[in-house]
């Protein structure tokens, strides 16, 4: 079944659209607060489509993520009880949120850097930092460094790989896509 090939080609076409940078910024901003899809899924094809703009796209993604993270922080700081806690419960994130709180208590600001760089849901840490009334400036700096490193690394690797990488991705996209689906299902049942 070649579902992922079709999605991949659609994403590559969309990546060349004139409004793609705006959509990338909006997606990244939202992902830092609540949206479940990471911006890498649009950043990578945009860099493949226009490698000469790799650093622009990485910068745009980083800035939008940091701004979204700041909004998530202030929502956690000011509106946790009335708005955020019910959403965490409704989306089934309570256990993850409790884990994030534990990590904050153990590692402090370093957990923001790690969450910003890694595939751990960054949004949980933006809201958690606000809820715990972490100092904003260290939060902001750790977010900027972690998110910047991640998005510049993605853009740099895609730019460096160029056309040969795109051909390999196109060749293996369905296998990779189904592999990720299987990994998510296994992780879901393993972590329940």
């Amino acid at each position: 079944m070649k579902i992922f090939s079709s999605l991949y080609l659609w994403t590559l076409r969309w990546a060349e659209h004139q409004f793609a940078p705006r959509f990338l910024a909006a997606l990244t901003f939202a992902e830092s607060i609540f949206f479940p899809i990471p911006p890498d899924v649009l950043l990578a094809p945009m860099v493949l489509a226009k490698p000469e703009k790799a650093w622009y796209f990485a910068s745009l993604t980083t800035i939008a993520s940091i701004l979204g993270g700041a909004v998530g922080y202030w929502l956690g700081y000011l509106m946790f009880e009335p708005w955020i806690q019910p959403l965490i419960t409704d989306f089934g994130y309570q256990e993850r949120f409790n884990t994030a709180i534990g990590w904050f208590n153990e590692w402090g600001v370093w957990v923001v850097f790690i969450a910003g760089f890694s595939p751990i849901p960054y949004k949980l840490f933006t809201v958690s930092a606000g809820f715990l009334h972490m100092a904003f400036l260290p939060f902001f700096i750790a977010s900027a460094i972690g998110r910047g490193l991640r998005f510049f690394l993605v853009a740099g690797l895609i730019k460096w790989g160029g056309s040969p990488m795109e051909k390999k991705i196109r060749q293996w996209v369905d296998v990779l896509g189904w592999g990720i689906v299987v990994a998510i299902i296994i992780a879901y049942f393993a972590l329940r």
Side-chain angles (χ1 to χ4, degrees), residues 64-75:
S65 181
I66 294 166
L67 293 176
V71 169
Y73 173 93
W74 289 110
L75 283 172

PDB file of all heavy atoms in Angstrom, residues 64-75:
ATOM      1  N   ALA A  64       9.424  30.725  15.341  1.00  0.00           N
ATOM      2  CA  ALA A  64       8.016  30.398  15.590  1.00  0.00           C
ATOM      3  C   ALA A  64       7.885  29.440  16.773  1.00  0.00           C
ATOM      4  O   ALA A  64       6.960  29.575  17.588  1.00  0.00           O
ATOM      5  CB  ALA A  64       7.387  29.799  14.339  1.00  0.00           C
ATOM      6  N   SER A  65       8.802  28.500  16.894  1.00  0.00           N
ATOM      7  CA  SER A  65       8.758  27.547  17.997  1.00  0.00           C
ATOM      8  C   SER A  65       9.018  28.235  19.335  1.00  0.00           C
ATOM      9  O   SER A  65       8.348  27.946  20.326  1.00  0.00           O
ATOM     10  CB  SER A  65       9.776  26.434  17.767  1.00  0.00           C
ATOM     11  OG  SER A  65       9.715  25.498  18.809  1.00  0.00           O
ATOM     12  N   ILE A  66       9.992  29.127  19.361  1.00  0.00           N
ATOM     13  CA  ILE A  66      10.315  29.841  20.603  1.00  0.00           C
ATOM     14  C   ILE A  66       9.136  30.717  21.025  1.00  0.00           C
ATOM     15  O   ILE A  66       8.774  30.756  22.201  1.00  0.00           O
ATOM     16  CB  ILE A  66      11.591  30.690  20.424  1.00  0.00           C
ATOM     17  CG1 ILE A  66      12.791  29.789  20.201  1.00  0.00           C
ATOM     18  CG2 ILE A  66      11.822  31.584  21.629  1.00  0.00           C
ATOM     19  CD1 ILE A  66      14.012  30.535  19.680  1.00  0.00           C
ATOM     20  N   LEU A  67       8.527  31.402  20.064  1.00  0.00           N
ATOM     21  CA  LEU A  67       7.365  32.239  20.385  1.00  0.00           C
ATOM     22  C   LEU A  67       6.191  31.387  20.870  1.00  0.00           C
ATOM     23  O   LEU A  67       5.515  31.740  21.841  1.00  0.00           O
ATOM     24  CB  LEU A  67       6.959  33.082  19.180  1.00  0.00           C
ATOM     25  CG  LEU A  67       7.965  34.151  18.756  1.00  0.00           C
ATOM     26  CD1 LEU A  67       7.501  34.854  17.482  1.00  0.00           C
ATOM     27  CD2 LEU A  67       8.182  35.167  19.880  1.00  0.00           C
ATOM     28  N   GLY A  68       5.947  30.260  20.209  1.00  0.00           N
ATOM     29  CA  GLY A  68       4.898  29.346  20.658  1.00  0.00           C
ATOM     30  C   GLY A  68       5.199  28.789  22.041  1.00  0.00           C
ATOM     31  O   GLY A  68       4.294  28.663  22.877  1.00  0.00           O
ATOM     32  N   GLY A  69       6.464  28.471  22.280  1.00  0.00           N
ATOM     33  CA  GLY A  69       6.863  27.989  23.601  1.00  0.00           C
ATOM     34  C   GLY A  69       6.623  29.032  24.680  1.00  0.00           C
ATOM     35  O   GLY A  69       6.198  28.706  25.791  1.00  0.00           O
ATOM     36  N   ALA A  70       6.879  30.303  24.352  1.00  0.00           N
ATOM     37  CA  ALA A  70       6.624  31.384  25.318  1.00  0.00           C
ATOM     38  C   ALA A  70       5.129  31.488  25.625  1.00  0.00           C
ATOM     39  O   ALA A  70       4.739  31.673  26.783  1.00  0.00           O
ATOM     40  CB  ALA A  70       7.158  32.704  24.778  1.00  0.00           C
ATOM     41  N   VAL A  71       4.294  31.344  24.600  1.00  0.00           N
ATOM     42  CA  VAL A  71       2.843  31.372  24.831  1.00  0.00           C
ATOM     43  C   VAL A  71       2.433  30.185  25.703  1.00  0.00           C
ATOM     44  O   VAL A  71       1.647  30.330  26.648  1.00  0.00           O
ATOM     45  CB  VAL A  71       2.065  31.381  23.490  1.00  0.00           C
ATOM     46  CG1 VAL A  71       0.578  31.146  23.710  1.00  0.00           C
ATOM     47  CG2 VAL A  71       2.288  32.697  22.764  1.00  0.00           C
ATOM     48  N   GLY A  72       2.983  28.988  25.404  1.00  0.00           N
ATOM     49  CA  GLY A  72       2.702  27.816  26.228  1.00  0.00           C
ATOM     50  C   GLY A  72       3.123  28.034  27.680  1.00  0.00           C
ATOM     51  O   GLY A  72       2.400  27.661  28.610  1.00  0.00           O
ATOM     52  N   TYR A  73       4.282  28.647  27.859  1.00  0.00           N
ATOM     53  CA  TYR A  73       4.776  28.949  29.197  1.00  0.00           C
ATOM     54  C   TYR A  73       3.780  29.832  29.947  1.00  0.00           C
ATOM     55  O   TYR A  73       3.392  29.540  31.073  1.00  0.00           O
ATOM     56  CB  TYR A  73       6.136  29.645  29.104  1.00  0.00           C
ATOM     57  CG  TYR A  73       6.661  30.146  30.429  1.00  0.00           C
ATOM     58  CD1 TYR A  73       7.497  29.346  31.193  1.00  0.00           C
ATOM     59  CD2 TYR A  73       6.311  31.403  30.911  1.00  0.00           C
ATOM     60  CE1 TYR A  73       7.985  29.792  32.415  1.00  0.00           C
ATOM     61  CE2 TYR A  73       6.788  31.864  32.131  1.00  0.00           C
ATOM     62  CZ  TYR A  73       7.618  31.061  32.878  1.00  0.00           C
ATOM     63  OH  TYR A  73       8.087  31.504  34.097  1.00  0.00           O
ATOM     64  N   TRP A  74       3.362  30.929  29.290  1.00  0.00           N
ATOM     65  CA  TRP A  74       2.459  31.870  29.965  1.00  0.00           C
ATOM     66  C   TRP A  74       1.062  31.288  30.171  1.00  0.00           C
ATOM     67  O   TRP A  74       0.391  31.605  31.156  1.00  0.00           O
ATOM     68  CB  TRP A  74       2.416  33.205  29.230  1.00  0.00           C
ATOM     69  CG  TRP A  74       3.715  33.938  29.418  1.00  0.00           C
ATOM     70  CD1 TRP A  74       4.679  34.170  28.486  1.00  0.00           C
ATOM     71  CD2 TRP A  74       4.227  34.471  30.645  1.00  0.00           C
ATOM     72  NE1 TRP A  74       5.762  34.806  29.050  1.00  0.00           N
ATOM     73  CE2 TRP A  74       5.501  35.013  30.381  1.00  0.00           C
ATOM     74  CE3 TRP A  74       3.748  34.535  31.944  1.00  0.00           C
ATOM     75  CZ2 TRP A  74       6.279  35.612  31.361  1.00  0.00           C
ATOM     76  CZ3 TRP A  74       4.529  35.133  32.929  1.00  0.00           C
ATOM     77  CH2 TRP A  74       5.781  35.660  32.633  1.00  0.00           C
ATOM     78  N   LEU A  75       0.637  30.412  29.285  1.00  0.00           N
ATOM     79  CA  LEU A  75      -0.633  29.722  29.527  1.00  0.00           C
ATOM     80  C   LEU A  75      -0.533  28.831  30.763  1.00  0.00           C
ATOM     81  O   LEU A  75      -1.450  28.790  31.585  1.00  0.00           O
ATOM     82  CB  LEU A  75      -1.036  28.885  28.308  1.00  0.00           C
ATOM     83  CG  LEU A  75      -1.609  29.654  27.127  1.00  0.00           C
ATOM     84  CD1 LEU A  75      -1.788  28.736  25.922  1.00  0.00           C
ATOM     85  CD2 LEU A  75      -2.940  30.298  27.500  1.00  0.00           C
TER      86      LEU A  75
END
